[in-house]
Amino acid sequence: MKYGQFSEDGKEYVIERFNTPRPWINCLTNGRYTSLVSQVSSGYSFYYDMGLHAINHKGLTDLLECTQGKFHFVRDNDTGRFWNINCHPSKLSAQSYECRHGLGYSTITSAHDGVSGSLTPFVSTHDDVESWLVELDNQSDKTKHLSIYLYQEMIFGCLIGQSDGAAWFWNSFNEIRYRDGALIGTKRFVDRPDGKGKGHWPYAVFLTSTLQPAGYECSKEKFIGMYRSIADPLALETNKCSNEDVVGKPIVGALRWDISLKPGESTQFAWSMGVTAWDDEADQTKLIAKYKKQQSIRDEFDATRKYWHDQLSQNPVSTPDRALNTDVNWWTKYQMYINAITWRDSNFYYGNFWTAVGNGGFRNILCDAGGMASFNKDIARRHIRIIASYISGDGKQAHGTPRPELKARPSHIGAKNDDVLWLVMTLEDYIRETGDYSLVTEEITSLVDGHTAPLWQFIIKGLDYYISVKGPKGLPLIGTGDWNDALDGVGPEGKGESVWLGMFVHMNLKSMAEILRRTLSGDEQAETLIEQYESRGNELYKIVNEKCWNGEYFVRAFKDDGTSIGDKHCKEGAFFLNTQIWAPICGVTDKVRSNQVLDLVKKRLWTKYGMRFFEPAYTQFDPSIGVITGFSPGSHENAAIFSQANMFAAIAYGMMGRAQDMLDIYKAVSPFDYSDAAIEVRQLEPYGQCQYVEGPESQDFGKGACHWLTGTAAWVLRTVIGFMLGVRPEYDGLRIDPCIPGEWDGYRLTRKFRGDTYEIEVTNPDHVESGVAKVIVDGRELASTLIPVASDGKSHKVQVVMGKSAGCHAREKESVAVS
Ligand code: GLC
């Protein structure tokens, strides 16, 4: 491949050219401290939240010029020539270059002028510290007298204001001082946009190294010089550092180390940067002392790699498709974990406005939590509790749900009309996975208004809305948006209705009724609700099929004035993906209609990069529909190819037993075996999911946008493991229901489930796409495809034989497919 490939074991992506089409990053994080590192070491670090607690500057043009990063210069003091180990920003071309992005670390290696250098950054799993192991090797036949410089721009605190015209003002509060081999910086005053945190920035940042620095520079002006740039800094020309502390100016954290290497000689050292409370000198001293020791850093490095390996090696799959294995075994799982633990805050696209106002996002966090349930139930449980606490006593949900550690205000209360439904779905995921019903009745305290109640009471308050408020057609109101945030102009007057929401409400009311039946049967209030939910669910089934079906497909919504969108009469936005694919997912229509609309979806929305969001794109801004019409055609929600929605689609086809269609969508969207040409167009990392790629109406059809930060990661795992390999947790056991390419002979997977381990081997002697003839557990044939819960803490051998013969699967198919 032109830019690189996966290592043999799939656990590293090895980049062989530094000039990838966009910065290809790794996200190094323990969930609190995060450092984003690209293949040329551009990127930045932040604490908890990129918007509120930035450590490094985040450049506005990170995606193009990569002006911000941890740049490592090497200066040959005999010639005055200098270069970057990370091959950027100085322009001296390298004799060799490689970047290995791994799980929890990266290694960038390059050679210039006979000196090979390598950088290995990682973030400790328990200390809030990032460390960079640095190695230098003199491969020439001359002694080299070298100065190594680390350069990075610091910012401290809130990005808003600091990264625009008011930077001059905010720089006045900067402070950075050198003490005993370490730089320590903070900000004397911050004023957060959410109104919390006026005063001293709560943190201080230290920067230290195992090798005593020969000099340091904190002034950006002195390091770079006037009329120069970071590619050509004055400090590298003169090889001088001022060694002066800086207060009240633009600051950098630059250290210099002097090293002489004889021919063939090599050396290693490390630098580390970490966060403590701003006034906790004891903690600073302790951490600085620890991170001055090479051995401590090595130990941390080993522990970090082990942590990530242990977390990600759970539930491995082994199929004939190597790219798929690499995808779900390592990288997409890694991406989902990172999204979950960083509260969706790690990429090069957002930061300045999105997260600073606390917009972790009700449904986004839940989406990751649902995916995490199969791998780390504690994280899933914690996230569900936190998100539920963003519901107020009157059932209103905050759409902006900052992580609690930030103590920031929830935002956009009641802004989107679907949020609480994702809580039902995720709670269902969690219980099906764990069998733990206790969460339903656990006490939660609202972060919106402080009231305390059991979790289910929070949910039913939110669900009241769908029982008591109905639009003119009897559908739920869309307000200023449903899953599609950008349909914000359809219903602000309180009459517009969402067909998709009608479907989703139908499904989740039924699900909540089941949860209540299983946890609170006999409770008078719960019994009444069960009845209400069932009957409103049935009512919605009728409304969707009778009033939202235009003879060919399901329309998308009705505006405040009663006219429909996503309908036959629309010149633009005539046919939407979501209402077609969610009809089968929500079980809100019959099989005939499901297949009919899925045929139409293929005909009208399929592209070589996956399914478009709708067609045709909007070309003019229309306030009665919303911001969706304002995005440039083919971008964002305006008819781009949304990755997450493609996974919804893949599942819908899978539920109908249409294996090839499911596979086609998955392969189009997930880049793990993209060709060079396809990667060139997509531009983004071949080892990660992105939010969307641009649609055919865009100038850049196929170009990817917004890497890392997307619920697609969780949904790829749900699609592949749950619906393709067909191993899905249900309340009473593990369902086996494969829907695979017919040419596969079979596959294996290990599935931990409620304390037991299932070693599942599926064989496909008749080369069918779906249908199970036999399920044998520990030598005993089952009468159904549901493996009952053993709960004995043991390992169980499961043999599944697929086949056309009327086995157990055929008998159940009707009830299982659309449940
Ligand atoms: C973005 C949001 C997600 C939303 C989607 C469609 O991906 O993060 O929550 O559902 O856009 O609007």
Side-chain angles (χ1 to χ4, degrees):
M1 298 286 288
K2 182 168 168 192
Y3 294 103
Q5 61 265 312
F6 290 99
S7 60
E8 195 52 39
D9 62 6
K11 288 164 65 180
E12 286 182 332
Y13 191 82
V14 187
I15 301 170
E16 285 155 2
R17 299 164 59 128
F18 73 90
N19 51 354
T20 51
R22 282 283 180 272
W24 285 359
I25 67 166
N26 196 354
C27 179
L28 307 173
T29 186
N30 57 20
R32 301 175 304 275
Y33 187 107
T34 300
S35 178
L36 304 182
V37 178
S38 83
Q39 86 292 353
V40 289
S41 188
S42 64
Y44 34 85
S45 306
F46 56 91
Y47 195 48
Y48 280 108
D49 185 278
M50 182 194 290
L52 290 181
H53 299 308
I55 295 172
N56 295 122
H57 213 308
K58 175 189 189 304
L60 296 175
T61 52
D62 291 327
L63 285 165
L64 288 180
E65 293 153 352
C66 298
T67 51
Q68 299 297 334
K70 314 280 188 317
F71 299 132
H72 292 74
F73 293 87
V74 179
R75 184 180 193 277
D76 184 330
N77 292 331
D78 295 321
T79 62
R81 278 160 68 92
F82 63 86
W83 60 87
N84 286 97
I85 300 177
N86 50 285
C87 292
H88 178 81
S90 63
K91 298 287 171 253
L92 199 67
S93 59
Q95 289 157 337
S96 65
Y97 164 85
E98 185 186 83
C99 168
R100 304 180 85 90
H101 281 318
L103 307 165
Y105 68 95
S106 291
T107 298
I108 302 172
T109 311
S110 70
H112 298 78
D113 277 9
V115 179
S116 162
S118 94
L119 308 166
T120 301
F122 68 97
V123 170
S124 157
T125 47
H126 53 278
D127 291 332
D128 293 335
V129 176
E130 71 176 299
S131 296
W132 290 60
L133 296 155
V134 183
E135 284 187 36
L136 287 154
D137 183 10
N138 181 0
Q139 296 170 337
S140 77
D141 52 10
K142 286 196 204 107
T143 296
K144 296 277 183 183
H145 304 100
L146 308 172
S147 291
I148 321 299
Y149 283 83
L150 159 69
Y151 171 89
Q152 55 180 325
E153 211 174 315
M154 316 303 282
I155 188 163
F156 304 146
C158 184
L159 270 174
I160 293 179
Q162 304 213 53
S163 49
D164 58 28
W168 170 80
F169 176 78
W170 290 106
N171 281 330
S172 318
F173 307 112
N174 288 342
E175 177 178 306
I176 187 160
R177 301 179 194 279
Y178 191 77
R179 199 185 72 204
D180 302 333
L183 281 172
I184 297 170
T186 187
K187 203 159 203 100
R188 296 152 177 245
F189 177 79
V190 287
D191 181 10
R192 288 167 36 166
D194 61 6
K196 300 228 171 185
K198 246 188 212 317
H200 204 288
W201 189 47
Y203 306 113
V205 171
F206 68 82
L207 172 63
T208 192
S209 59
T210 57
L211 180 67
Q212 180 73 11
Y216 68 94
E217 187 57 81
C218 302
S219 156
K220 182 176 176 186
E221 188 176 328
K222 285 186 183 150
F223 193 93
I224 293 186
M226 284 301 289
Y227 308 113
R228 286 168 175 264
S229 76
I230 180 60
D232 173 32
L234 184 64
L236 268 293
E237 190 178 307
T238 60
N239 202 24
K240 280 201 183 112
C241 289
S242 73
N243 299 331
E244 280 170 10
D245 299 346
V246 166
V247 180
K249 302 209 174 58
I251 45 174
V252 296
L255 296 177
R256 179 180 121 200
W257 302 274
D258 289 344
I259 289 171
S260 290
L261 292 175
K262 295 201 191 82
E265 197 184 358
S266 62
T267 189
Q268 297 181 359
F269 68 99
W271 64 265
S272 301
M273 181 158 83
V275 175
T276 63
W278 76 276
D279 50 358
D280 192 344
E281 254 189 60
D283 195 23
Q284 259 164 33
T285 310
K286 195 180 86 203
L287 280 172
I288 291 171
K290 173 172 174 185
Y291 283 89
K292 277 187 178 175
K293 292 195 201 99
Q294 186 87 3
Q295 193 53 49
S296 322
I297 298 174
R298 277 265 151 213
D299 293 347
E300 286 297 330
F301 181 55
D302 294 343
T304 302
R305 288 184 65 164
K306 183 173 178 328
Y307 169 82
W308 281 109
H309 183 269
D310 290 350
Q311 291 291 320
L312 301 173
S313 56
Q314 296 179 72
N315 298 346
V317 310
S318 170
T319 75
D321 185 332
R322 194 168 158 218
L324 178 148
N325 299 344
T326 305
D327 179 349
V328 302
N329 282 343
W330 304 113
W331 288 91
T332 294
K333 212 189 286 171
Y334 181 53
Q335 183 176 3
M336 175 181 72
Y337 255 83
I338 284 168
N339 277 331
I341 66 175
T342 61
W343 212 254
R344 283 282 181 100
D345 196 14
S346 43
N347 76 3
F348 271 27
Y349 289 73
Y350 288 113
N352 297 30
F353 72 97
W354 187 258
T355 50
V357 289
N359 216 335
F362 200 103
R363 84 167 85 79
N364 292 352
I365 301 298
L366 287 171
C367 161
D368 300 338
M372 287 298 284
S374 311
F375 301 96
N376 187 320
K377 72 176 168 53
D378 296 338
I379 293 178
R381 183 177 233 280
R382 180 170 177 270
H383 281 32
I384 291 171
R385 285 185 54 102
I386 294 170
I387 292 301
S389 72
Y390 279 108
I391 303 177
S392 60
D394 60 6
K396 287 239 157 59
Q397 302 113 58
H399 190 62
T401 53
R403 53 196 301 178
E405 295 89 345
L406 296 175
K407 300 190 171 49
R409 240 186 249 142
S411 64
H412 303 92
I413 311 263
K416 301 294 166 193
N417 277 3
D418 62 323
D419 277 332
V420 71
L421 301 164
W422 296 98
L423 184 56
V424 177
M425 190 170 161
T426 312
L427 179 62
E428 187 185 27
D429 283 343
Y430 175 83
I431 302 173
R432 285 180 178 220
E433 180 65 45
T434 60
D436 170 15
Y437 291 87
S438 68
L439 187 52
V440 178
T441 46
E442 213 169 271
E443 295 272 298
I444 308 271
T445 300
S446 169
L447 287 166
V448 184
D449 60 12
H451 85 284
T452 297
L455 176 79
W456 70 282
Q457 293 279 354
F458 276 73
I459 295 178
I460 62 164
K461 272 274 180 287
L463 293 181
D464 271 355
Y465 182 77
Y466 306 109
I467 305 290
S468 56
V469 182
K470 296 177 191 173
K473 295 203 159 42
L475 287 165
L477 299 180
I478 188 167
T480 51
D482 57 20
W483 178 86
N484 189 334
D485 288 322
L487 285 175
D488 58 350
V490 178
E493 286 163 26
K495 288 195 231 102
E497 297 164 285
S498 164
V499 178
W500 174 81
L501 201 51
M503 298 175 169
F504 200 51
V505 169
H506 161 88
M507 177 172 85
N508 284 294
L509 287 183
K510 299 250 170 192
S511 302
M512 193 60 196
E514 182 61 15
I515 292 173
L516 293 177
R517 232 177 262 125
R518 285 172 175 267
T519 45
L520 288 145
S521 95
D523 178 287
E524 209 177 309
Q525 189 190 7
E527 294 292 345
T528 315
L529 288 169
I530 292 169
E531 245 173 70
Q532 273 180 359
Y533 292 172
E534 291 289 357
S535 100
R536 175 72 174 134
N538 295 341
E539 181 185 38
L540 282 168
Y541 189 103
K542 279 185 77 175
I543 295 171
V544 164
N545 284 285
E546 287 167 12
K547 300 189 182 166
C548 311
W549 176 254
N550 68 10
E552 286 174 34
Y553 57 89
F554 293 105
V555 305
R556 177 61 177 86
F558 298 94
K559 300 201 280 192
D560 276 326
D561 69 6
T563 53
S564 54
I565 65 164
D567 202 350
K568 285 193 272 190
H569 67 85
C570 305
K571 285 208 178 60
E572 298 179 341
F575 181 77
F576 274 72
L577 176 66
N578 264 349
T579 30
Q580 320 317 323
I581 55 181
W582 280 89
I585 297 174
C586 294
V588 76
T589 195
D590 58 32
K591 265 190 158 177
V592 176
R593 262 191 193 177
S594 295
N595 278 311
Q596 186 179 332
V597 292
L598 291 182
D599 288 342
L600 209 52
V601 163
K602 257 175 85 174
K603 213 160 106 199
R604 295 185 63 163
L605 300 177
W606 175 248
T607 74
K608 59 182 168 173
Y609 302 114
M611 297 289 181
R612 305 155 72 183
F613 214 28
F614 62 84
E615 62 89 17
Y618 293 106
T619 54
Q620 298 294 323
F621 178 63
D622 178 348
S624 76
I625 299 177
V627 66
I628 189 168
T629 59
F631 291 123
S632 65
S635 80
H636 295 260
E637 280 95 331
N638 191 2
I641 297 153
F642 244 70
S643 314
Q644 193 185 1
N646 270 269
M647 291 308 120
F648 303 156
I651 288 175
Y653 284 97
M655 289 176 95
M656 293 295 116
R658 297 170 67 161
Q660 193 57 47
D661 294 327
M662 172 162 55
L663 186 76
D664 289 346
I665 298 170
Y666 162 71
K667 286 283 172 188
V669 168
S670 196
F672 283 74
D673 55 7
Y674 265 31
S675 64
D676 277 338
I679 284 297
E680 202 83 64
V681 175
R682 179 186 174 90
Q683 301 190 340
L684 302 182
E685 294 89 338
Y687 47 88
Q689 312 297 336
C690 66
Q691 187 192 27
Y692 67 85
V693 307
E694 305 208 3
E697 282 104 339
S698 151
Q699 291 172 322
D700 297 307
F701 180 34
K703 177 175 161 188
C706 197
H707 59 179
W708 290 80
L709 192 155
T710 169
T712 312
W715 278 79
V716 162
L717 295 165
R718 193 188 282 266
T719 304
V720 174
I721 301 179
F723 288 86
M724 198 181 291
L725 307 184
V727 178
R728 290 194 294 275
E730 292 188 4
Y731 287 114
D732 301 316
L734 258 191
R735 176 70 60 188
I736 306 289
D737 181 23
C739 188
I740 57 166
E743 68 267 22
W744 284 10
D745 291 328
Y747 55 95
R748 276 178 286 118
L749 71 154
T750 304
R751 184 68 162 81
K752 288 210 171 114
F753 185 61
R754 304 197 194 167
D756 305 328
T757 304
Y758 295 87
E759 298 291 351
I760 305 171
E761 175 157 25
V762 180
T763 49
N764 187 16
D766 297 342
H767 290 275
V768 294
E769 292 187 340
S770 62
V772 172
K774 262 188 212 161
V775 180
I776 302 162
V777 180
D778 295 331
R780 278 190 35 230
E781 189 171 341
L782 300 186
S784 84
T785 55
L786 188 73
I787 304 175
V789 187
S791 262
D792 55 10
K794 292 195 181 139
S795 179
H796 301 278
K797 195 167 169 223
V798 181
Q799 292 156 279
V800 178
V801 184
M802 293 177 70
K804 287 193 204 105
S805 60
C808 50
H809 189 270
R811 288 196 298 278
E812 287 165 342
K813 189 86 183 160
E814 287 308 303
S815 56
V816 175
V818 183
S819 64

